[in-house]
Amino acid sequence: MTLALGVATTTTVFSVVDAELWKPLPFPDPQQLVAVFSRGPGVPGPVDAVSGAELLDWRAGTRALSDLAGAGPTSRRTLGLDAAESVRVQDVTSNYFDILARPAVEGRTFSPEGARGSLTAVVTDRAWRRLFDADPSIVGRSVALDERTIVIIGVVAADDSLGADPDLFLALDEGSPAFLDGTASVFYGAIGRLKPVMDANAARTELDAVAVRLTELDPERWTGHTMHVEDLREYSTGYNWRPLYFFLGAALVVLLLSMVSLASLLLARAFRRTREFALRGALGGGQGALARQLVVEGFLLAAPGGGIGVLLTMWAVTVFTAELPAEALVRGDSIPIDFRVYGFAFGVTALTVILCVLMPLLVARRIDLSRMLGRGGRTGRSATKGRARIMLLTAQIALTVVLLSGAGIFLKSFVSLTGIPLGFEASGTLAMRASLGGPRYATGAQVREYAENLLSQARAIPGVRSAGIGSSSPLGSGPLVNFVGRDQAPPALGEEPRAILRAASPGYFQTLGIRIVGGRDFSASDVTGAPRVAIVNEYLASQTFGGESPIGRVIELLPGARAPWTRPAGDLLVVGVVSNVKEVGLNEIEFADIYVPFAQMPAPSVEMVVRADVPPASLGDVLRQRAADVDPAVPVTSLSTFEQRLAGALQQDRFNLLLISSFAGIAVLLACIGVYGAVAYSVQASTRELGIRLALGAHPVRLVGAALWQAGRLGLLGGSLGLVGMLLIARAIGNALYLVPGAHNGLLYGVTTTDPGTLAGAFLGVIVVALVAGAIPARRVARVDPVLALRSE
């Protein structure tokens, strides 16, 4: 069981890390696939948005790549079936599937000729089953997408190795003016395939020359921008490695603990077999024969231990996949148990058993045959045996302290997150999102009319206290824009401050309980044609205007925003200041927020927030029906309460706590096994001595206390070394577990890795564990019969 726990823990985490970071992409010759992108000044930062014309310049400017394809961002669009369906659509160039070598399972994929002047689409088999009941006649059928007719020409197998696949891929006409000027789609990098004799450095050198030419043609656009060519697998999962490696390291500590525990048990067993080893040697069995016997015994230990470990891995992967947040892994939520995982489990099992079999061999080689046989049947304790067992058990308890400390730190971090101020009221509120598209909502006036009608319908529902419309809401983020204070010195290129931009209607802040700390709310007079106004949050006010009041000051939105509805650059008059809210998670950096009136900048992605006097979850069906009454062709893409959204924001941290607590639980179990085995062996080996002591009048309670002291001493010694080890580990990892803006996300919040209370709790915890584990065999001392003990050998 000790072996199975170690194998299962390490193999489970390995299966996740392998699937996410190490496993080759499931495409032919994956080592030739690269990500190509440009990045402006101010690295690290998001990759540049490039037009189709710039993408064609990249393609024409390099001979190291056999081809280069672009894939635009995934967006929500409306598919006109019997009922309107919201689907995820991605615009791609016609050579996208050829570069990845993704064949069609039905029909065909795109071709340059077929993409010219026509709207052709390829559907994933996942969406094919969900939307079309896997009907093969879908190939060649015309359907409406945002009221435009498209033709589905094929079906491809869904693949999430580069991120979640959309429902539909839409081919871009690379010869159209909309493609060339970026109206049809904007790309954030491209996917290329290297020629067999080329490498990424050759492609980067050629693309640098392209960037120089582009800078000469458009210096304002390209000055300071650099080209990057990276391995596609590493690029798609690069930001995810830190937490995965941390938990893999924790799993390896569990494996080491399992090995130490197993070695301790086998060592105690070997000491009990010294007379057997001596007799075998006396009867002609050499070291080779003894080694073969121990190897066979090791195999008999490994077969069931490794088998149970693999079964536990399958169960653990199923449980953790269900608990793992959907966005935690880039390469999909399916963790395969394949030959790589089986091979790892076999290797871990074999290595553990080989190392542990060495323990009995070392004992057997040091046996003094004549002395052992001369002692007859008597056994006893020796300083060598005691030192070996104490060293192993001390290491075992020290590792347990490390894992217990880690679990305590994650628990304290989770508790801190649950009490963090949100900046809004989550209870009693819910949000419903609908995406508007197509000719019917091509203008701002049409979007505004839909939003006003939806708001009127919601406010008429019994139990609804207030409602508001926004482009997004807290814990849902929003598009980023660059801005500058109008009366301030312009920042250097690439160092412009950025803010999340939201459109909001009157009543939005009141509904969400966001405090207005200065100025006013939006009003019915903030409409198109009126002076453009904005409300900013406290963080933006302090960072941009220092200690001065921002009311009446002007901020300027700079050109280059990604989302089309946010692109109207120009001046905004600040009329209010609101409190900061959590934007994308609870453990996050502070964000600057700019709110603009929905009537002045209507966003096609409409999110209605509602506060109710009745349980908000009970309003879901009613709100969907009211949305259908406004326009049945507009699907509701999401509907959730803010308490559900808050639970989702905590899901990753809850999973981290579950994982590290599982490791700590296994460590405590293994420590119990080790201490129990040590005390039980000591009692068994000292049976004759205990019998003599009892026969001479020793009190049983004192002998039980001595046995318990042995267990407590192990806890004290191992716990002290564990504390030292934890302090060294904390110093080595530095800030790797904390949020570092611009570098990496954080796993911990509101607690240090050297938190005194947590370390003291872990230290006391292992002492208690040692005493409890040693109490059971210690009680046997009181039941030793002196007469039987003296005759036992």
Side-chain angles (χ1 to χ4, degrees):
M1 201 62 196
T2 299
L3 177 61
L5 288 173
V7 170
T9 302
T10 315
T11 307
T12 299
V13 179
F14 168 83
S15 65
V16 177
V17 177
D18 181 58
E20 180 75 352
L21 298 181
W22 300 332
K23 197 170 186 179
L25 294 173
F27 309 120
D29 300 317
Q31 73 281 358
Q32 296 176 358
L33 293 172
V34 292
V36 180
F37 59 94
S38 64
R39 179 173 281 152
V43 176
V47 299
D48 293 333
V50 298
S51 67
E54 290 167 331
L55 182 69
L56 295 179
D57 286 336
W58 293 0
R59 186 186 295 171
T62 174
R63 292 176 293 177
L65 299 173
S66 60
D67 208 348
L68 189 68
T74 301
S75 60
R76 283 277 180 184
R77 305 187 197 180
T78 303
L79 189 66
L81 300 176
D82 295 337
E85 289 278 355
S86 175
V87 293
R88 298 173 64 252
V89 180
Q90 186 174 26
D91 296 322
V92 297
T93 54
S94 58
N95 59 346
Y96 177 80
F97 292 107
D98 293 334
I99 286 181
L100 294 179
R102 288 179 63 177
V105 296
E106 294 284 343
R108 62 178 179 86
T109 56
F110 302 127
S111 65
E113 297 78 15
R116 290 183 186 137
S118 63
L119 293 173
T120 56
V122 169
V123 63
T124 62
D125 59 352
R126 191 161 49 207
W128 180 41
R129 291 188 294 269
R130 178 172 61 89
L131 300 172
F132 306 105
D133 294 325
D135 182 2
S137 66
I138 188 63
V139 176
R141 186 189 302 178
S142 297
V143 295
L145 183 70
D146 284 346
E147 302 181 21
R148 295 188 303 171
T149 300
I150 63 171
V151 179
I152 297 178
I153 63 171
V155 180
V156 296
D159 183 271
D160 297 328
S161 57
L162 298 176
D165 250 358
D167 299 314
L168 278 81
F169 294 93
L170 199 62
L172 291 166
D173 182 356
E174 298 181 25
S176 67
F179 176 84
L180 297 175
D181 64 16
T183 306
S185 186
V186 174
F187 303 101
Y188 301 105
I191 295 175
R193 184 175 284 275
L194 293 167
K195 292 180 180 178
V197 295
M198 295 294 182
D199 60 15
N201 290 329
R204 189 181 303 110
T205 300
E206 294 175 344
L207 289 169
D208 284 340
V210 175
V212 170
R213 292 197 302 270
L214 292 174
T215 303
E216 293 172 352
L217 295 174
D218 190 353
E220 183 177 354
R221 161 76 175 84
W222 278 96
T223 298
H225 291 248
T226 55
M227 298 300 301
H228 299 263
V229 181
E230 295 182 6
D231 178 82
L232 185 59
R233 176 184 59 81
E234 295 179 1
Y235 174 78
S236 62
T237 59
Y239 75 90
N240 219 13
W241 65 269
R242 197 177 298 270
L244 290 175
Y245 279 145
F246 168 75
F247 286 114
L248 180 61
L252 291 175
V253 172
V254 175
L255 177 64
L256 182 60
L257 181 59
S258 175
M259 294 172 66
V260 171
S261 180
L262 188 61
S264 177
L265 293 172
L266 289 177
L267 184 62
R269 187 168 180 264
F271 287 148
R272 291 198 300 269
R273 299 174 64 189
T274 50
R275 188 165 185 271
E276 173 198 337
F277 294 156
L279 288 172
R280 289 180 179 274
L283 295 174
Q287 292 289 337
L290 184 58
R292 288 192 296 272
Q293 176 195 345
L294 293 175
V295 168
V296 170
E297 292 177 358
F299 173 78
L300 294 176
L301 172 68
I308 295 173
V310 170
L311 293 176
L312 289 175
T313 296
M314 294 178 178
W315 172 80
V317 166
T318 303
V319 171
F320 286 147
T321 300
E323 293 290 331
L324 196 67
E327 68 279 2
L329 299 179
V330 174
R331 298 176 66 179
D333 57 0
S334 176
I335 308 299
I337 306 297
D338 54 17
F339 73 94
R340 292 166 63 93
V341 177
Y342 289 126
F344 179 82
F346 174 80
V348 167
T349 304
L351 176 64
T352 303
V353 172
I354 289 172
L355 292 177
C356 292
V357 163
L358 292 176
M359 291 293 179
L361 277 175
L362 292 175
V363 172
R365 291 187 62 182
R366 298 179 64 179
I367 293 174
D368 185 335
L369 179 62
S370 60
R371 183 181 177 187
M372 188 67 202
L373 294 179
R375 291 171 57 190
R378 297 185 302 275
T379 60
R381 292 179 294 178
S382 74
T384 302
K385 295 177 183 180
R387 284 194 299 270
R389 291 200 313 277
I390 289 173
M391 289 174 60
L392 289 172
L393 285 169
T394 301
Q396 187 175 351
I397 293 174
L399 293 173
T400 303
V401 168
V402 171
L403 290 173
L404 272 179
S405 300
I409 289 168
F410 272 83
L411 176 60
K412 195 166 185 178
S413 171
F414 184 78
V415 172
S416 298
L417 281 174
T418 58
I420 196 172
L422 301 174
F424 67 95
E425 296 179 17
S427 61
T429 54
L430 76 162
M432 183 180 73
R433 177 175 288 276
S435 294
L436 309 179
R440 297 177 60 185
Y441 297 102
T443 66
Q446 293 168 319
V447 173
R448 279 193 296 269
E449 182 181 2
Y450 175 87
E452 290 168 1
N453 292 336
L454 183 62
L455 204 53
S456 298
Q457 290 279 355
R459 286 170 174 166
I461 298 174
V464 171
R465 186 192 311 172
S466 63
I469 288 288
S471 57
S472 61
S473 58
L475 296 179
S477 191
L480 289 170
V481 294
N482 291 336
F483 73 96
V484 66
R486 197 72 179 86
D487 55 353
Q488 295 179 333
L493 182 64
E495 298 181 4
E496 301 90 348
R498 295 190 300 166
I500 293 177
L501 183 68
R502 281 198 179 97
S505 73
Y508 176 88
F509 299 113
Q510 175 192 355
T511 300
L512 289 172
I514 299 175
R515 293 185 303 109
I516 298 178
V517 297
R520 66 172 177 88
D521 194 354
F522 294 132
S523 67
S525 62
D526 296 320
V527 295
T528 303
R532 297 177 68 193
V533 298
I535 294 175
V536 300
N537 70 340
E538 292 177 288
Y539 179 76
L540 185 147
S542 64
Q543 293 295 308
T544 306
F545 302 106
E548 301 178 12
S549 171
I551 307 299
R553 307 287 287 273
V554 176
I555 57 175
E556 179 187 3
L557 294 185
L558 302 178
R562 291 186 175 185
W565 70 269
T566 66
R567 289 178 188 171
D571 292 347
L572 300 173
L573 176 67
V574 178
V575 297
V577 180
V578 296
S579 60
N580 302 326
V581 299
K582 293 299 179 181
E583 295 289 358
V584 295
L586 302 183
N587 184 6
E588 66 180 18
I589 61 173
E590 293 288 349
F591 285 93
D593 289 338
I594 299 175
Y595 300 88
V596 295
F598 194 91
Q600 293 185 347
M601 294 179 68
S605 184
V606 175
E607 186 164 19
M608 182 172 64
V609 292
V610 173
R611 177 170 294 279
D613 295 322
V614 298
S618 65
L619 296 176
D621 293 338
V622 180
L623 287 173
R624 288 182 185 274
Q625 182 58 51
R626 295 300 174 92
D629 292 342
V630 175
D631 189 344
V634 175
V636 173
T637 58
S638 67
L639 195 155
S640 63
T641 67
F642 276 89
E643 289 177 332
Q644 292 171 331
R645 190 176 289 187
L646 182 59
L650 286 169
Q651 188 178 6
Q652 179 69 63
D653 298 281
R654 187 180 295 108
F655 175 79
N656 294 342
L657 177 60
L658 171 66
L659 195 58
I660 197 71
S661 297
S662 300
F663 294 164
I666 293 172
V668 169
L669 179 59
L670 293 177
C672 285
I673 293 173
V675 174
Y676 173 87
V679 178
Y681 169 76
S682 178
V683 171
Q684 182 181 5
S686 306
T687 301
R688 188 168 183 270
E689 176 188 339
L690 292 172
I692 294 174
R693 287 175 177 267
L694 289 169
L696 294 176
H699 199 285
V701 174
R702 294 188 61 183
L703 297 181
V704 171
L708 280 176
W709 167 241
Q710 180 185 1
R713 186 176 53 188
L714 287 171
L716 287 170
L717 181 58
S720 301
L721 290 177
L723 290 180
V724 173
M726 189 63 194
L727 293 174
L728 292 176
I729 292 173
R731 183 174 181 179
I733 61 179
N735 63 5
L737 300 183
Y738 298 94
L739 174 69
V740 177
H744 56 77
N745 296 329
L747 292 176
L748 298 178
Y749 173 82
V751 63
T752 65
T753 51
T754 57
D755 180 65
T758 303
L759 296 183
F763 178 73
L764 295 176
V766 295
I767 294 176
V768 172
V769 166
L771 291 174
V772 171
I776 298 174
R779 291 176 57 194
R780 297 177 185 169
V781 174
R783 298 197 297 267
V784 172
D785 187 332
V787 177
L788 294 178
L790 295 174
R791 293 178 178 174
S792 61
E793 298 185 0

